[in-house]
């Protein structure tokens, strides 16, 4: 008769083992991250030095562009396992060194982002000040290369901090400066495609359907609290279109969506909402709530007059939808309801 394997009972773990295991896992992960960052830093510095040497030789001794092809061949023969010495990448190194002449900036700033991030910035951003701003934002927000490309193509640098606000009168420094820098104009909702006859609730529903993209466009720190958020004041019910909480500002953010042009009465409505939120939701540690009115268009002078005497902090900005399809073509597209009916889903 064959012997049966009898499973031995597991040895009980000593007290504190789980905590030790978690601590070691965390320490190993941190070391892995530091090692990866160190490798990236050395790689970026190496590429900058190679590019600088090539550039100096070309300037001082008049070497032509063909020498880069020869260098790629010789370096590739000497270091066959190294993939970054192609003619194309050597030309990027030369352009990198030409764009950034200060080695200190390369060491302290540019080495914090990947080589592919740096290439993207070289290709897509021509102004050095703009380029450095995108580098700093990438470091602060941890943007992937794809997110960086999106932010560049949407013109984030030109839009950041451009909303019309009354923060200088209604918030104390430095919160007023931080709040102003977080709002932009216009907001780019290129992930939406609304029909011309769309209403506010259609815009709201579409933004919530693409909440991840909406949060990315709002910027880092916005936490979604609710839509059509109910407030009861004096026995009456009122509903905020979108309510957020900002982690850096430490305050609630009320967003009012409008499908058309800004009107002065919108500011009064948001002023009322902010008073209610401060009384009903705000904790003692929270800072004053702020409001953001998003409109399809605005008259700047009208907005400035509307905000001038408001005692609650708020801003007004426009939004831009995708321009991929002409208006007449968008108008000819079937609605969701029409598609459902055509496909037999109307029940």
């Amino acid at each position: 008769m064959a012997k049966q394997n009898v499973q031995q009972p597991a040895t009980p773990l000593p007290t504190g083992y789980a905590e030790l295991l978690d601590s070691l896992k965390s320490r190993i992960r941190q070391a892995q991250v530091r090692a990866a960052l160190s490798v990236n830093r050395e790689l970026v510095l190496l590429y900058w030095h190679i590019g600088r040497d090539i550039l100096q030789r070309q300037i001082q001794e008049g070497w032509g562009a063909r020498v880069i092809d020869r260098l790629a061949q010789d370096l590739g023969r000497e270091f066959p396992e190294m993939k970054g010495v192609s003619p194309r990448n050597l030309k990027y190194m030369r352009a990198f060194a030409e764009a950034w002449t200060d080695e200190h900036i390369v060491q302290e700033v540019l080495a914090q982002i990947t080589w592919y991030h740096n290439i993207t910035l070289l290709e897509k951003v021509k102004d050095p000040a703009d380029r450095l701003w995108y580098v700093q934002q990438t470091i602060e927000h941890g943007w992937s290369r794809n997110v960086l490309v999106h932010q560049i193509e949407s013109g984030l640098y030109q839009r950041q901090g451009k909303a019309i606000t009354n923060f200088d009168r209604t918030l104390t420094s430095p919160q007023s400066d931080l709040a102003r820098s977080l709002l932009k104009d216009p907001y780019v909702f290129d992930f939406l495609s609304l029909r011309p006859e769309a209403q506010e609730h259609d815009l709201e529903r579409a933004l919530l359907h693409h909440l991840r993209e909406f949060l990315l466009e709002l910027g880092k720190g916005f936490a979604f609290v609710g839509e059509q958020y109910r407030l009861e004041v004096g026995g009456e019910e009122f509903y905020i279109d979108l309510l957020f909480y900002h982690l850096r500002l430490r305050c609630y953010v009320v967003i009012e969506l409008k499908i058309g042009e800004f009107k002065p009465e919108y500011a009064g409505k948001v002023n009322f909402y902010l008073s209610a939120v401060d009384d009903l939701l705000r904790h003692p540690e929270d800072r004053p709530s702020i409001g953001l009115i998003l409109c399809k268009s605005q008259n700047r002078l009208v907005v400035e007059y509307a905000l001038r005497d408001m005692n609650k902090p708020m801003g007004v900005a426009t939004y831009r939808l995708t321009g991929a399809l002409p208006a007449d073509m968008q108008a000819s597209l079937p609605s969701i309801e029409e598609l459902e009916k055509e496909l037999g889903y109307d029940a």
Side-chain angles (χ1 to χ4, degrees):
M1 184 175 178
K3 288 185 177 180
Q4 293 183 349
N5 292 326
V6 179
Q7 190 172 7
Q8 297 296 325
T11 304
L13 297 175
T15 303
Y17 177 83
E19 291 80 359
L20 174 62
L21 179 61
D22 289 341
S23 174
L24 294 179
K25 287 179 180 178
S26 176
R27 184 168 296 179
I28 291 171
R29 291 193 184 100
Q30 291 173 5
Q32 289 174 330
V33 170
R34 287 196 299 269
L37 291 174
S38 177
V39 170
N40 178 76
R41 171 185 168 81
E42 293 302 321
L43 184 68
V44 171
L45 287 173
L46 171 65
Y47 286 173
W48 182 82
H49 281 290
I50 291 174
R52 185 189 61 177
D53 291 346
I54 294 173
L55 182 63
Q56 287 178 346
R57 291 283 185 170
Q58 288 183 326
I59 293 174
Q60 295 171 2
E61 303 182 24
W63 287 3
R66 293 183 62 182
V67 74
I68 292 180
D69 296 329
R70 177 60 186 268
L71 275 172
Q73 292 176 5
D74 291 338
L75 290 173
R77 190 179 301 112
E78 182 68 22
F79 306 100
E81 76 286 353
M82 191 173 179
K83 305 300 183 183
V85 291
S86 66
R88 179 181 177 84
N89 209 36
L90 287 175
K91 291 173 184 175
Y92 277 131
M93 295 177 202
R94 181 194 182 281
F96 183 56
E98 187 175 30
W100 302 102
T101 57
D102 189 340
E103 185 174 358
H104 177 75
I105 292 179
V106 178
Q107 289 179 328
E108 300 300 323
V109 183
L110 302 178
Q112 295 186 56
I113 63 176
T114 72
W115 177 241
Y116 297 105
H117 282 81
N118 279 300
I119 291 176
T120 298
L121 289 163
L122 282 176
E123 291 181 328
K124 294 186 174 293
V125 184
K126 302 307 177 186
D127 184 87
D130 295 12
R131 196 185 298 132
L132 185 58
W133 185 87
Y134 280 111
V135 171
Q136 292 165 339
Q137 295 298 306
T138 299
I139 295 170
E140 179 180 352
H141 301 299
W143 288 342
S144 68
R145 180 180 175 276
N146 288 337
V147 171
L148 173 62
V149 170
H150 170 77
Q151 301 291 23
I152 293 171
E153 292 180 347
S154 71
L156 180 62
Y157 179 73
Q158 290 74 25
R159 299 184 291 120
Q160 199 78 16
K162 294 301 189 292
I164 306 173
T165 73
N166 63 356
F167 295 160
D168 58 335
R169 295 188 299 98
T170 55
L171 294 175
T172 58
S173 184
Q175 190 190 21
S176 59
D177 297 330
L178 176 58
R180 189 183 303 108
S181 69
L182 293 173
L183 300 190
K184 60 195 71 164
D185 186 39
Y187 285 82
V188 177
F189 299 153
D190 53 2
F191 48 87
L192 302 183
S193 183
L194 296 178
R195 294 167 63 89
E197 66 273 17
Q199 301 299 312
E200 271 93 8
H201 69 273
D202 297 313
L203 175 60
E204 179 183 319
R205 184 172 62 174
L207 288 173
L208 292 176
H209 185 68
H210 296 273
L211 184 58
R212 182 177 179 275
E213 292 86 352
F214 184 32
L215 286 170
L216 178 62
E217 177 61 10
L218 286 176
K220 185 177 180 180
F222 282 88
F224 180 61
V225 177
E227 42 130 354
Q228 291 300 308
Y229 195 92
R230 176 181 172 275
L231 297 174
E232 183 174 340
V233 178
E236 296 186 45
E237 293 180 335
F238 301 89
Y239 295 89
I240 297 172
D241 286 346
L242 299 171
L243 183 63
F244 290 83
Y245 188 88
H246 199 277
L247 302 177
R248 288 185 64 191
L249 289 172
R250 296 293 176 186
C251 70
Y252 285 98
V253 181
V254 171
I255 297 183
E256 183 77 1
L257 299 173
K258 295 300 176 184
I259 206 71
E261 187 173 14
F262 172 83
K263 295 181 180 179
E265 53 264 33
Y266 299 160
K269 183 178 182 182
V270 171
N271 200 75
F272 168 80
Y273 285 157
L274 292 173
S275 296
V277 169
D278 281 343
D279 283 350
L280 302 175
L281 303 179
R282 179 184 171 191
H283 294 279
E285 309 84 44
D286 291 337
R287 292 171 177 167
S289 304
I290 66 175
L292 173 61
I293 305 170
L294 282 175
C295 303
K296 188 68 179 294
S297 61
Q298 64 179 3
N299 181 306
R300 188 175 187 87
L301 187 59
V302 171
V303 173
E304 290 174 351
Y305 269 67
L307 299 185
R308 178 180 294 179
D309 295 321
M310 290 292 163
N311 61 357
K312 293 292 183 181
M314 68 182 76
V316 178
T318 59
Y319 59 85
R320 188 176 73 217
L321 299 176
T322 177
L325 293 176
D328 56 347
M329 189 177 294
Q330 290 185 9
S332 65
L333 293 176
S335 65
I336 296 297
E337 292 77 12
E338 290 169 341
L339 284 173
E340 290 177 343
K341 185 175 183 181
E342 183 69 24
L343 296 172
Y345 296 150
D346 52 324

